[in-house]
């Protein structure tokens, strides 16, 4: 959800609001914020690095990284 949404134009703030609205848990007692979403987008474990199972494709990860670079001032 996060990688797909970000790669198709959603902002960190929009993703944060959507996660909160859908009551998707982060950690018990913690509410989502933009920094949490940004850390997920930067974490290569989601493509199977560091002995973790791949949850997204390398292409999805790369698309998000490309957009992150474009969005930086």
């Amino acid at each position: 959800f996060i990688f797909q949404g970000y790669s198709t134009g959603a902002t960190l703030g929009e993703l944060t609001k959507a996660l909160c609205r859908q009551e998707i848990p982060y950690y018990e007692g913690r509410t989502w914020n933009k920094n949490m979403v940004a850390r997920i987008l930067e974490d290569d474990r989601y493509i199977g690095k560091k002995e973790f199972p791949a949850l997204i494709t390398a292409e999805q990860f790369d698309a998000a990284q490309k957009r992150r670079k474009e969005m930086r001032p």
Side-chain angles (χ1 to χ4, degrees), residues 2 5 19 31 33 35 40 43 48 57 65 69 72:
I2 292 172
L19 291 163
T31 304
N33 65 49
N35 292 328
I40 288 173
D43 194 338
T57 66
Q65 300 320 298
K69 287 179 184 173
R72 289 190 180 121

Side-chain angles (χ1 to χ4, degrees), residues 3-73:
F3 283 91
Q4 179 66 33
Y6 190 75
S7 296
T8 57
T11 66
L12 296 177
E14 290 168 342
L15 290 168
T16 300
K17 288 177 185 175
L19 291 163
C20 290
R21 229 182 359 260
Q22 295 176 42
E23 298 181 4
I24 296 173
Y26 183 76
Y27 281 123
E28 188 174 324
R30 298 207 51 201
T31 304
W32 284 93
N33 65 49
K34 291 189 285 187
N35 292 328
M36 293 168 178
V37 174
R39 280 195 302 269
I40 288 173
L41 289 169
E42 295 168 351
D43 194 338
D44 63 2
R45 290 180 292 180
Y46 291 100
I47 57 172
K49 299 283 180 149
K50 302 173 189 154
E51 300 181 26
F52 283 84
L55 300 177
I56 62 168
T57 66
E59 291 80 16
Q60 288 173 301
F61 185 80
D62 292 342
Q65 300 320 298
K66 180 180 177 190
R67 180 153 185 253
R68 299 245 332 126
K69 287 179 184 173
E70 291 170 354
M71 298 299 290
R72 289 190 180 121

